[in-house]
Amino acid sequence: MSALTLTVDVERACQIWEEYQKQQDVFDRIGQTAGIDPVSGRVWFGESGIDIYKQMEAEGAITPVYLVRVGYDYYVRKGGHR
């Protein structure tokens, strides 16, 4: 997978997530993980990325997804203040 393809997939997933939040109330899911498939536009929710993977695996939908923490603009942050 090329860097350009990855960039396009992430941008598409972000667009899908933005539209999803406009159409659906996600307030009760703040802090959960959302997995967005940039190809199909499908969104999964779970406590972690592993939960989302297990849901996808059970449905036979194993594909790369973009993960984000609901209520935040990232999934996990590295580092911190000392």
Side-chain angles (χ1 to χ4, degrees), residues 24-74:
Q24 306 291 327
D25 181 17
V26 295
F27 183 76
D28 61 332
R29 296 185 181 269
I30 290 178
Q32 287 187 353
T33 300
I36 303 104
D37 180 351
V39 176
S40 71
R42 176 116 188 253
V43 178
W44 287 271
F45 292 96
E47 292 303 315
S48 68
I50 293 172
D51 287 344
I52 291 170
Y53 175 80
K54 288 177 181 177
Q55 291 175 45
M56 294 173 66
E57 184 178 44
E59 297 174 16
I62 302 302
T63 181
V65 293
Y66 176 73
L67 298 175
V68 66
R69 183 86 46 208
V70 179
Y72 302 88
D73 59 352
Y74 58 88

